[in-house]
Amino acid sequence: DDMDSLCAKTLPTLLTLGPALAGAAAFEMLKLVLKCFYSSIFMAVGEQVQKDLEGWMWLVLEVTKLNMGQPGTPEEMQAREAGQDAKCRKWAFHILFRFY
C-alpha cells in the first residue's frame, strides 16, 4: 500500500520529466528516472504503472534508440560503456526484460 501511494505521487512526474531529459541529453538524471521506474516494477506492476504503461514503454523504447556510435579501439569501447548514455540504455533494457 505504501509503495502504491508513493508510485501514484511520483511516477506521473517522472514520466513527464523523462522525455525532457532525453531530449536535453541529461543522461545522468534520465538514468535515475529509469532506475526509479524499474524499482517500482521489480516485484509487481502496480495500478499506477498499468495506467501509464504506454507512456513508460514509449520512453524506454526511445532510450534504447540512443546513438552510441562505433568504437574504434578497446579504450573507446570502455569509455563508451562507462558513459551515462550507455547506462541509460542498460536500465532501459532491464525494464524491457522485466516485461518480456
Side-chain angles (χ1 to χ4, degrees):
D1 289 328
D2 290 337
M3 184 64 156
D4 290 335
S5 174
L6 181 63
C7 287
K9 292 176 184 174
T10 58
L11 287 179
T13 303
L14 293 176
L15 183 55
T16 302
L17 286 173
L21 295 171
F27 297 125
E28 189 165 349
M29 291 184 70
L30 179 59
K31 177 187 77 169
L32 294 175
V33 168
L34 294 171
K35 286 175 75 170
C36 288
F37 179 65
Y38 180 79
S39 296
S40 74
I41 63 168
F42 183 73
M43 297 298 285
V45 178
E47 185 178 321
Q48 183 64 42
V49 172
Q50 291 175 14
K51 204 162 92 173
D52 296 332
L53 192 58
E54 184 178 340
W56 280 108
M57 288 298 105
W58 179 85
L59 174 62
V60 168
L61 290 174
E62 289 301 309
V63 171
T64 64
K65 296 176 188 175
L66 290 174
N67 186 1
M68 300 289 289
Q70 294 295 324
T73 65
E75 293 81 20
E76 289 174 349
M77 179 69 152
Q78 286 178 337
R80 186 177 83 170
E81 289 175 359
Q84 292 300 321
D85 53 344
K87 291 178 182 181
C88 285
R89 284 175 47 103
K90 176 189 90 167
W91 282 104
F93 282 111
H94 279 309
I95 292 166
L96 289 173
F97 290 144
R98 168 65 178 91
F99 283 100
Y100 297 105

